[in-house]
Amino acid sequence: MTNAGDQVPAVVELNHGFFKVFSDSYFRTSEPPDEKPVLCASLGEQEVVLSVDGIIRELELAEGDPLRVMLTAICASLKFVGVLRPGDEIPAEVRTGDASWEAGTDHLEMARQRLTMQLATWVSGHETMITSAVELQQLFDDPSTKQKISDAFKEAATRLGLPDEEAVANLVESFAEELSYVEALRERYAGIAGQFEKIQVLRKHYRDQNSIIDEIDPVIRLMKKPVADFQTNFDLIDAQTGEIMTVLSKLDVQRQYVRNLRDDLYVRFEAWQPIVDQWQGVDPLDTQNFNVSNALRELYRFLAQRYMEPDKWVLMTSLKEPDGKELRYGGVMTW
């Protein structure tokens, strides 16, 4: 990220003479697991790939140098876009902290209802966080809830030193907009968790087919980590926003906290999306039109690149002992 006080550029501009010798230049990240920002370009008939960190070192760009600020912004941007070329816009996440993607109106409504019900339960002395859309809607449909909400907003205005209920409502709306992205991401996480459940069902379905089990078990073992990590992130967000008066009294701090986790989850979910799409609609009990073996191997490669130490890769294709006997999972080949 750029340093505080640096003016983040709006678009990619490379005016330094170093870049004039190249043609067809663009920035991307290297392959997993490194995923470092690199400059790809043509130099005559030769294709070159240069580390952005290396360019900064070779040009001896000092902190605050406009080109270093530009390259730093480009590096930060590559978390959110696959490729950046001269003239492309720097993503909003890097320029302003806003999201460059949209949450749905249903996500905004759920976030608004959640915060409102936190206030309504806070005023009764038993603050409760509700993340179920069905349960929230049932509470809002209860006629007695409206009076509780009105009382809560009045009390919150007094506690926060605000002029009226409308001022409290504005704070709630402002933070609901931030949380709407969390709700959208929570929905995307449900797709990953659902995929994990499908693979576990697959294991039960194919429990008598050793060749498939040998491919499923490493996937399950690797997938446990990201699924648990994602859930931990949502738990952290819920815990951080679980005391509504703290949230409303320190809105800027809370907003930044949510945005940081929002961006981290969004980037990781974007990488997962092609995998989730591939498994979308797959019935683990009826896979006649789905190549289970190929899909598992693709998923394993994806997981191993991101969640396995380099010296612990498991060779999933035709594992054999020297005498030709097939290896079961647990007798793994590593390098």
Side-chain angles (χ1 to χ4, degrees):
M1 295 297 290
T2 56
N3 294 323
D6 289 339
Q7 182 63 45
V8 179
V11 298
V12 176
E13 293 181 351
L14 303 171
N15 298 321
H16 194 281
F18 173 83
F19 299 97
K20 294 182 180 179
V21 300
F22 301 114
S23 59
D24 302 322
S25 59
Y26 64 91
F27 295 88
R28 63 169 174 82
T29 56
S30 58
E31 295 301 316
D34 293 335
E35 297 183 285
K36 299 293 186 181
V38 295
L39 169 69
C40 302
S42 298
L43 183 60
E45 296 182 357
Q46 185 179 5
E47 297 295 321
V48 297
V49 178
L50 303 175
S51 161
V52 175
D53 286 342
I55 294 173
I56 292 174
R57 285 196 306 271
E58 289 300 315
L59 297 181
E60 298 181 343
L61 301 175
E63 294 286 346
D65 183 289
L67 180 56
R68 181 164 183 161
V69 173
M70 173 63 69
L71 292 174
T72 303
I74 289 170
C75 291
S77 299
L78 290 174
K79 290 176 58 179
F80 305 99
V81 295
V83 171
L84 271 180
R85 302 179 185 275
D88 286 350
E89 289 188 359
I90 299 294
E93 286 88 349
V94 178
R95 289 186 289 107
T96 65
D98 295 326
S100 58
W101 53 283
E102 294 292 334
T105 55
D106 54 334
H107 302 126
L108 176 59
E109 180 61 20
M110 183 170 179
R112 183 188 294 119
Q113 289 184 350
R114 172 189 144 180
L115 293 173
T116 300
M117 288 310 304
Q118 278 184 248
L119 268 177
T121 54
W122 160 79
V123 79
S124 68
H126 302 285
E127 182 174 348
T128 304
M129 177 187 295
I130 302 168
T131 57
S132 165
V134 174
E135 189 176 351
L136 280 170
Q137 193 58 57
Q138 288 175 343
L139 287 170
F140 266 77
D141 290 341
D142 186 342
S144 65
T145 300
K146 291 184 179 180
Q147 186 58 51
K148 293 178 182 177
I149 292 173
S150 177
D151 293 341
F153 274 61
K154 288 178 182 177
E155 180 63 23
T158 300
R159 294 282 189 93
L160 294 170
L162 297 174
D164 50 32
E165 297 172 55
E166 184 177 355
V168 177
N170 290 338
L171 291 180
V172 169
E173 185 67 20
S174 176
F175 197 62
E177 291 178 5
E178 300 295 340
L179 279 186
S180 67
Y181 293 95
V182 174
E183 297 306 329
L185 291 169
R186 202 190 300 267
E187 187 174 282
R188 293 183 68 174
Y189 167 66
I192 297 173
Q195 180 183 343
F196 188 42
E197 291 174 3
K198 286 181 181 180
I199 293 170
Q200 292 173 308
V201 172
L202 270 177
R203 194 191 189 289
K204 294 179 181 179
H205 185 61
Y206 288 99
R207 61 184 177 273
D208 297 325
Q209 298 187 36
N210 290 346
S211 61
I212 298 295
I213 293 298
D214 284 340
E215 295 179 336
I216 291 176
D217 280 353
V219 167
I220 289 176
R221 178 172 56 83
L222 282 178
M223 201 168 178
K224 285 180 179 178
K225 175 177 173 53
V227 169
D229 286 349
F230 289 146
Q231 184 59 59
T232 296
N233 275 292
F234 286 110
D235 291 343
L236 286 172
I237 293 174
D238 291 343
Q240 184 72 14
T241 58
E243 296 183 5
I244 189 63
M245 294 303 290
T246 300
V247 168
L248 298 181
S249 64
K250 299 179 179 179
L251 202 55
D252 288 342
V253 174
Q254 298 290 338
R255 178 184 289 113
Q256 190 58 53
Y257 177 85
V258 169
R259 286 184 170 190
N260 289 341
L261 282 177
R262 175 203 70 192
D263 290 347
D264 178 64
L265 287 169
Y266 174 75
V267 169
R268 294 163 70 186
F269 286 170
E270 281 292 282
W272 273 87
Q273 198 57 49
I275 297 292
V276 173
D277 291 343
Q278 182 183 26
W279 288 80
Q280 185 71 30
V282 173
D283 182 350
L285 300 179
D286 181 10
T287 57
Q288 290 183 343
N289 298 318
F290 185 69
N291 192 320
V292 174
S293 184
N294 283 351
L296 285 170
R297 292 180 184 189
E298 288 180 26
L299 177 55
Y300 177 82
R301 284 192 292 271
F302 171 83
L303 292 167
Q305 287 177 326
R306 291 163 173 81
Y307 303 107
M308 178 182 281
E309 295 297 327
D311 62 347
K312 294 182 181 179
W313 272 70
V314 181
L315 185 61
M316 292 182 61
T317 56
S318 302
L319 296 181
K320 303 278 185 184
E321 293 279 14
D323 61 2
K325 183 180 179 180
E326 288 192 358
L327 285 173
R328 293 287 298 143
Y329 177 60
V332 298
M333 184 180 297
T334 62
W335 66 85

